[in-house]
Amino acid sequence: MSKKDKPIGVAVLGLGNVGTEVVRIINNSAADLAARIGAPLELRGVGVRRVSADRGVPIDLLTDDVDALVSRDDVDIVVELMGPVKPARKAILKALETGKSVVTANKALMAQSTGELAQAAEKARVDLYFEAAVAGAIPVIRPLTQSLAGDTVCRVAGIVNGTTNYILSAMNDTGADYASALADASALGYAEADPTADVEGYDAAAKAAILASIAFHTRVTADDVYREGITTVSAADFESARALGCNIKLLAICERLTNDEGQQRVSARVYPALVPLEHPLATVNGAFNAVVVEAEAAGRLMFYGQGAGGAPTASAVMGDVVMAARNRVQGGRGPRESKYAQLPIAPIGFIPTRYYVSMNVADRPGVLSSVAAEFGKREVSIAEVRQEGTIDEEGQRAGARIVVVTHKATDAALSETVAALADHEAVESINSVLRLEGTAE
């Protein structure tokens, strides 16, 4: 039997929304997949925690013995969609050690253990694909590893978490506060029962680590990514953002930085930021994701689409399955891990960014100039200042609110300025400190 006649066996681990959709595609699109691959693709088994007849898959295909499933001689590709990092890592390593190619959508695992898994895949001379680990159906990993392999990527910035983008879009569109927008997202199924991973930026940080590792040929883990969430963003921040011609988005930013001596470092960071309305990311709304890649020769490229959900994520998973299956038929392999650059990680304190600072101050002469002086002492240049009165519960003027927008300054200089303002006798409270991205200055 030739390689083109021999079926490619697939084992799927996990039967949640994505796993169910992957199984459906394998079964319902068998003829098309065989034509694209050059050999039939056959489902050998599905690993689940609970074997029962109500799973929508023939019970003889279900097993709770994952180790035995991934070790079977008739399995060529293992699709890991289990979720939790520890069992997923164990299953993937077992699969790789027994010569199976692996496709996974597990961003937390890939952000934590890329090096270990890549080494295991290299040792076994098999494929490790993870397109679905970042931005769902949007093709981002493959363009970075293949289409732009001959270019130099300078920056990757995007909205990579649908839950937070839905919440921030609702706040912008309706004027709702964070708590109300989160409750709405939960009711509609966009937010998990425990939304911490999303709203505190952990999910986006894992994806930023993956993107930075690939874009800059340097191993970057989730622990290397500076992270802030969206829980302190207020309705008042959106009012100020609109007045400044901006929207607020949770951004994952990966950047190659070069100092005056020509030394390069990598920055990977996640935080809510003001984005000018003319920037393409400013109008990415709802649960959609988008990633903007900037490269020396290619210029700016934008990838936009569904960032999550069973069907969109399954689309990315199946793209990887087809690639891995083709490699099995043709005797080739996909791109290996590229980490030759080994660039150091830049601490957040050295990253130059523009800032938006909102504070409540005493309403008396001279306060604005004294506040501005605190910025000047630390060489943080002010681009714009807005001042407005605040009203108490009885409708009486109760103080003033100042919004300061800076030119580019380092995080360290801005942090020192904010600390000094917090102790300033005329400053009643610091309401918000957000960054401003997507502008030249």
Side-chain angles (χ1 to χ4, degrees), residues 44 61 67 74 125 133 135 172 197 231 241 244 254 290 332 363 373 393 428:
R44 303 299 191 198
L61 287 176
D67 279 356
D74 61 348
R125 301 190 63 79
N172 181 63
T231 56
L244 295 167
C254 311
D363 190 9
E393 294 179 355
E428 298 171 351

Side-chain angles (χ1 to χ4, degrees), residues 208-227:
I210 295 169
L211 291 171
S213 298
I214 296 169
F216 307 126
H217 308 280
T218 296
R219 279 186 187 164
V220 180
T221 70
D223 290 339
D224 295 320
V225 180
Y226 176 81
R227 175 193 54 78

Side-chain angles (χ1 to χ4, degrees), residues 30-49:
D32 285 339
L33 292 172
R36 296 167 192 172
I37 293 167
L41 195 67
E42 294 185 357
L43 183 65
R44 303 299 191 198
V46 180
V48 293
R49 285 181 292 180

Side-chain angles (χ1 to χ4, degrees), residues 103-360:
V103 172
T104 179
N106 199 321
K107 66 263 185 181
L109 176 62
M110 294 308 300
Q112 175 182 304
S113 302
T114 298
E116 178 187 27
L117 300 181
Q119 287 174 351
E122 184 64 26
K123 183 177 180 180
R125 301 190 63 79
V126 294
D127 288 324
L128 173 64
Y129 284 126
F130 46 93
E131 180 68 68
V134 179
I138 305 171
V140 177
I141 302 300
R142 194 164 289 117
L144 286 173
T145 56
Q146 298 183 34
S147 303
L148 296 173
D151 207 338
T152 299
V153 176
C154 306
R155 196 170 194 263
V156 181
I159 297 165
V160 295
N161 182 272
T163 299
T164 52
N165 200 47
Y166 179 87
I167 292 170
L168 294 175
S169 297
M171 292 177 71
N172 181 63
D173 295 342
T174 68
D177 61 16
Y178 166 77
S180 298
L182 172 59
D184 182 45
S186 298
L188 293 172
Y190 289 117
E192 301 286 346
D194 179 2
T196 302
D198 294 320
V199 301
E200 294 292 357
Y202 290 101
D203 176 84
K207 295 169 181 175
I210 295 169
L211 291 171
S213 298
I214 296 169
F216 307 126
H217 308 280
T218 296
R219 279 186 187 164
V220 180
T221 70
D223 290 339
D224 295 320
V225 180
Y226 176 81
R227 175 193 54 78
E228 293 179 14
I230 67 168
T231 56
T232 61
V233 177
S234 68
D237 292 329
F238 276 96
E239 291 179 12
S240 295
R242 283 190 288 272
L244 295 167
C246 295
N247 201 346
I248 299 176
K249 298 293 182 182
L250 182 72
L251 299 183
I253 300 172
C254 311
E255 197 168 15
R256 184 195 302 267
L257 304 172
T258 306
N259 63 18
D260 295 338
E261 288 74 42
Q263 298 171 324
Q264 293 188 341
R265 292 186 293 183
V266 170
S267 168
R269 53 201 195 265
V270 169
Y271 44 61
L274 277 72
V275 182
L277 294 178
E278 60 269 20
H279 192 280
L281 292 177
T283 53
V284 176
N285 293 320
F288 280 80
N289 284 191
V291 177
V292 175
V293 178
E294 297 176 21
E296 285 186 0
R300 176 186 282 182
L301 308 170
M302 182 171 176
F303 305 87
Y304 168 87
Q306 293 279 3
T313 304
S315 171
V317 169
M318 288 305 302
D320 282 349
V321 169
V322 169
M323 293 296 293
R326 283 175 177 167
N327 291 340
R328 287 272 172 168
V329 171
Q330 297 168 5
R333 290 177 62 199
R336 284 63 148 181
E337 180 193 24
S338 176
K339 56 180 177 59
Y340 73 89
Q342 299 183 20
L343 299 176
I345 307 299
I348 189 64
F350 293 93
I351 307 302
T353 317
R354 297 188 67 187
Y355 289 89
Y356 152 98
V357 182
S358 168
M359 68 197 89
N360 286 347

